[in-house]
Amino acid sequence: MTTTLNRRAAAGAPASARVLPENAISDPAAAQRLRRSFAAVRVAFTWFGVRKSLSAEQKAQAAEHFGAEGQYLSAAKKLLDTKHEAFQQVTALRSQIVSYWKAVTLPYPDPGIRLIRQDDIEAFNTRLTQFRSELDAAVANLDDHFGQLRSAAADRLGRLYNPADYPPTLRGLFAVDFDFPSVDAPEYLARLNPELYQQERRRISERFDEAVRLAEEAFVGEFSKLVSHLVERLTAGPDGERKVFRDSAVNNLREFFDRFKHLNVRSNADLDRLVETASQTLSGVDPHIVRNSNSLRQQVTTQLSAVQSVLDGMLVDQPRRRILRQGRGNNGAGGEGAAA
């Protein structure tokens, strides 16, 4: 990955913070490290749809009310109250599963797939199995309220209510599955068609190069957002008043440092140094003391502002790279569309 610095931002940073040279190139060996140490993991959901399109006749009736033509109207009805506590418990678990999956993995160019450290697979399997049990229990609880939810829907939908839209039970209609698909060229191709086998190996090699770039972009984007938020909270307002900031502004950055250290494939030494600089800045820093010490607030703000200025430069090229990537890849997907 070639990174172009924002010269004006870099010029304003202290010399110690100007660690990213122009045209910095990611370590080409990082993709090999990624292939050796990581495996593909896929998470997918079975999810009962709570919206159903109106029939052509119903759309025509609705369109008539507005003096429109039914074929130009898109309309759907909501089958269940998704704000019901039992339903929200189910959807909250889905969000927790996706958040956990993304927190312990790196992106991969193919949609629905991410990369997990091989030595994390056992823990991942245990946690997802626990999530699956929790989801089954939440769905069972939702099913206990299903009759009540159907009755409420009948009252709210009026003539649009149709008993045929509802299954006898919701059990089995909400589920999470996960597997570890192979992302290597199948060995049988080497016997059947050696040339095609080599093409597939090159394609997969490019996919891992792309995965390294995606990981760098994700790390830089998240790092920049967290640093920017903390700097903004530590910077005094126009009339010098202190802004309120929560412990989470510091703790979230520390959690990022731990995750970066665990998942990092050392693809960009300059990014590594930036993370180390920010980590040292916050090492041993108590949010409560920062809150009440002007000198410490100023010190942390100055050091993190220098880090932020370099991160801003690292972000400059990302939209251009993304366009090139989408034009180059087979599907242009970024690996974030899984679990849907």
Side-chain angles (χ1 to χ4, degrees):
M1 178 184 71
T2 301
T3 305
T4 302
L5 264 178
N6 181 316
R7 294 176 182 271
R8 182 171 58 184
S16 60
R18 269 180 254 139
V19 296
L20 185 67
E22 277 199 347
N23 301 320
I25 305 298
S26 299
D27 183 353
Q32 291 302 317
R33 289 194 290 270
L34 191 63
R35 294 187 70 169
R36 286 195 304 268
S37 303
F38 285 71
V41 59
R42 176 168 49 200
V43 174
F45 291 92
T46 299
W47 216 255
F48 175 67
V50 297
R51 293 187 181 275
K52 186 177 181 65
S53 296
L54 299 186
S55 67
E57 180 182 357
Q58 290 169 336
K59 284 193 289 186
Q61 292 175 357
E64 184 178 354
H65 177 76
F66 295 99
E69 295 184 26
Q71 61 181 334
Y72 291 99
L73 181 68
S74 177
K77 56 185 176 180
K78 193 174 181 180
L79 301 180
L80 296 175
D81 177 13
T82 55
K83 294 183 179 180
H84 190 281
E85 181 181 0
F87 196 95
Q88 290 195 330
Q89 289 175 351
V90 173
T91 54
L93 273 168
R94 173 172 175 154
S95 297
Q96 291 174 32
I97 293 169
V98 173
S99 295
Y100 170 74
W101 176 51
K102 291 184 177 182
V104 299
T105 58
L106 294 176
Y108 187 74
D110 291 351
I113 293 177
R114 293 179 67 86
L115 300 174
I116 185 171
R117 289 188 62 91
Q118 293 175 14
D119 50 13
D120 287 342
I121 288 177
E122 188 60 37
F124 182 87
N125 176 70
T126 299
R127 188 67 186 100
L128 262 291
T129 301
Q130 292 172 346
F131 272 131
R132 180 180 284 165
S133 297
E134 293 171 22
L135 181 59
D136 288 343
V139 172
N141 178 56
L142 176 61
D143 195 59
D144 290 341
H145 294 84
F146 192 28
Q148 172 191 344
L149 289 167
R150 276 195 313 243
S151 297
D155 292 339
R156 292 170 177 166
L157 290 174
R159 288 184 297 165
L160 293 178
Y161 178 77
N162 182 358
D165 292 333
Y166 299 84
T169 177
L170 293 177
R171 295 173 186 262
L173 298 184
F174 297 85
V176 59
D177 293 298
F178 61 97
D179 66 335
F180 303 90
S182 173
V183 286
D184 289 323
E187 292 298 326
Y188 67 81
L189 271 185
R191 300 189 304 272
L192 298 177
N193 189 324
E195 182 179 353
L196 184 58
Y197 176 70
Q198 293 302 323
Q199 289 178 6
E200 185 67 5
R201 290 190 64 187
R202 287 192 294 272
R203 185 189 72 83
I204 291 172
S205 178
E206 291 173 356
R207 288 314 230 190
F208 275 90
D209 288 340
E210 182 66 1
V212 170
R213 286 189 286 271
L214 288 172
E216 282 189 18
E217 291 181 4
F219 280 137
V220 170
E222 182 181 2
F223 188 23
S224 177
K225 181 178 179 181
L226 292 171
V227 170
S228 177
H229 174 68
L230 181 53
V231 168
E232 190 275 331
R233 290 287 86 195
L234 292 176
T235 303
D239 55 358
E241 84 281 6
R242 292 179 180 178
K243 298 176 183 175
V244 175
F245 81 94
R246 302 184 184 279
D247 291 3
S248 59
V250 173
N251 294 335
N252 288 342
L253 258 172
R254 287 176 172 156
E255 290 176 4
F256 169 82
F257 299 149
D258 291 340
R259 191 167 66 255
F260 179 83
K261 181 178 179 180
H262 184 65
L263 295 175
N264 184 26
V265 291
R266 306 187 309 281
S267 61
N268 190 320
D270 300 312
L271 176 58
D272 294 349
R273 285 193 288 270
L274 273 183
V275 172
E276 180 62 22
T277 297
S279 179
Q280 291 179 0
T281 297
L282 294 179
S283 178
V285 170
D286 185 333
H288 176 72
I289 297 177
V290 174
R291 218 174 265 119
N292 296 285
S293 170
N294 287 331
S295 60
L296 186 55
R297 286 172 75 104
Q298 184 58 48
Q299 177 185 336
V300 172
T301 301
T302 299
Q303 293 175 354
L304 290 185
S305 293
V307 170
Q308 180 63 49
S309 69
V310 181
L311 284 171
D312 288 344
M314 296 176 77
L315 289 166
V316 167
D317 253 0
Q318 286 194 9
R320 181 182 64 82
R321 289 198 306 275
R322 186 170 296 112
I323 292 171
L324 293 175
R325 182 171 68 250
Q326 290 177 347
R328 179 175 65 246
N330 291 335
N331 55 26
E336 296 294 333

